[in-house]
Amino acid sequence: MPSNAAELVRILNLNDDGADRYVGGHPGESLLAKVYGGQLIAQALVAATRTVDPGRPVHSLQTICLDVGRHGEPVQFEVERLRDGRSFSARAVIARQGGRPVLRLLASYQPREQGLSHQIPMPIAPPPGGLPLAHEVMAAFSNLSGNEWRVEWSGLDLRYVSGHLEGRVGRTPAVQQLWVRVKDRLPDDAVLHRHIVAYLSDLTMTSASLLPHGPVFGDLELPRATLNHSVWFHEDARADEWLFVDQRSPWAGGARGLSFATVYSADGRPVASLAQEGLIRPLGRMRRQLGFD
């Protein structure tokens, strides 16, 4: 994870390699060897957006994750201009690292229009002040120290709503709520904030499908990976102000978990809707504890 807002902006500022090709880098340090999926999603979205009329903001994206990205090696993003119609533009992006395809993204863009409108109200939740911090929760459910997780999450302020993390097997619902924001102030650029919402959208989504199965959140013996991920953008919102994320998982099976989420601004406006299928494949001790061996 980036250590501050400036580093986050830097990794989303891709280098132009000519002919709708772009190159992206990584944060200076990371606790994990593999690249955070939200980074690749956001970088691919940045590449697609570079080729679209600025008057058409992105309204949806769908990705399929093809392979693991690794830190220390740049990622190449190649954009295909699928269509520029009267109302919508469509782009496809393939991300490669060392010649390996690691992610495929489809994105759709639309000028702002007036239309029918409704929304589901934001759930009632306690404010972020005083709620458990991400590194505290991670440390409680893994074999890494709180300080290691604190360094990993230092660029974000991520708070968990209490009551969903007890890990009571068969009794804890697959519901997870959190508040998140980038700690430092970001530039006043609505496009950048939408891209950072895409970056944040991959946070803890797969973990929502783990809650009914015991205290496995953050456990390194449960490898997790994003398989496919979708975002629908509804309204602009600042990523350096509090966003409330309401996550829920209706199903898990076959070493996969399915999760959905709605992202709200602090004043209750729906900002985005999310859907994700993730890999949840227990190993070693955890596999035996769960009775798979």
Side-chain angles (χ1 to χ4, degrees):
M1 291 290 180
S3 59
N4 53 53
E7 188 175 31
L8 176 56
V9 171
R10 177 185 63 79
I11 66 173
L12 295 183
N13 186 21
L14 306 183
N15 293 320
D16 191 334
D17 202 30
D20 290 349
R21 290 180 170 86
Y22 303 90
V23 179
H26 308 287
E29 297 182 6
S30 177
L31 184 63
L32 303 177
K34 69 178 183 179
V35 177
Y36 163 57
Q39 175 187 316
L40 294 176
I41 292 168
Q43 288 178 323
L45 178 61
V46 169
T49 302
R50 292 271 187 94
T51 70
V52 178
D53 184 328
R56 296 186 171 192
V58 62
H59 72 87
S60 69
L61 66 83
Q62 290 78 43
T63 63
I64 180 169
C65 300
L66 303 171
D67 204 347
V68 174
R70 300 293 182 184
H71 286 280
E73 184 178 354
V75 181
Q76 293 77 38
F77 299 89
E78 182 178 341
V79 182
E80 181 181 358
R81 304 188 184 214
L82 298 178
R83 185 173 185 271
D84 285 301
R86 294 176 59 186
S87 299
F88 292 89
S89 293
R91 297 291 186 267
V93 181
I94 184 72
R96 294 186 176 90
Q97 189 177 51
R100 296 178 299 112
V102 294
L103 180 137
R104 180 76 166 176
L105 174 141
L106 293 173
S108 183
Y109 299 77
Q110 177 193 19
R112 300 183 189 276
E113 296 184 27
Q114 295 294 321
L116 301 175
S117 178
H118 73 271
Q119 67 181 62
I120 295 176
M122 174 178 158
I124 297 174
L131 294 177
L133 296 164
H135 69 265
E136 296 171 342
V137 175
M138 290 287 197
F141 288 96
S142 77
N143 54 6
L144 295 177
S145 71
N147 186 60
E148 290 175 295
W149 286 115
R150 182 185 294 111
V151 171
E152 178 71 8
W153 295 91
S154 59
L156 302 179
D157 196 344
L158 179 63
R159 312 288 183 100
Y160 282 88
V161 175
S162 302
H164 301 298
L165 300 174
E166 296 89 345
R168 296 169 297 176
V169 177
R171 294 169 56 198
T172 299
V175 175
Q176 182 170 262
Q177 296 175 329
L178 53 100
W179 292 92
V180 64
R181 65 178 175 180
V182 176
K183 280 186 177 178
D184 304 325
R185 196 67 176 174
L186 292 163
D188 296 329
D189 181 345
V191 174
L192 172 65
H193 284 267
R194 194 163 285 210
H195 291 163
I196 295 178
V197 168
Y199 175 92
L200 298 173
S201 69
D202 192 37
L203 289 173
T204 75
M205 281 287 285
T206 299
S207 298
S209 64
L210 303 178
L211 292 173
H213 306 286
V216 294
F217 183 85
D219 196 308
L220 298 184
E221 288 197 14
L222 186 73
R224 298 181 293 283
T226 301
L227 298 175
N228 49 74
H229 186 83
S230 298
V231 182
W232 295 267
F233 299 92
H234 308 318
E235 291 194 34
D236 289 326
R238 294 194 66 95
D240 53 7
E241 296 179 356
W242 285 115
L243 299 171
F244 178 77
V245 187
D246 181 36
Q247 300 176 339
R248 55 217 174 270
S249 173
W251 175 88
R256 305 185 313 279
L258 179 65
S259 299
F260 298 97
T262 304
V263 182
Y264 296 88
S265 61
D267 60 1
R269 293 179 297 110
V271 173
S273 295
L274 318 175
Q276 183 181 99
E277 187 180 37
L279 176 71
I280 47 174
R281 180 184 288 154
L283 298 176
R285 168 187 54 81
M286 180 173 294
R287 186 174 180 86
R288 293 189 293 272
Q289 287 179 346
L290 296 173
F292 294 156
D293 291 332

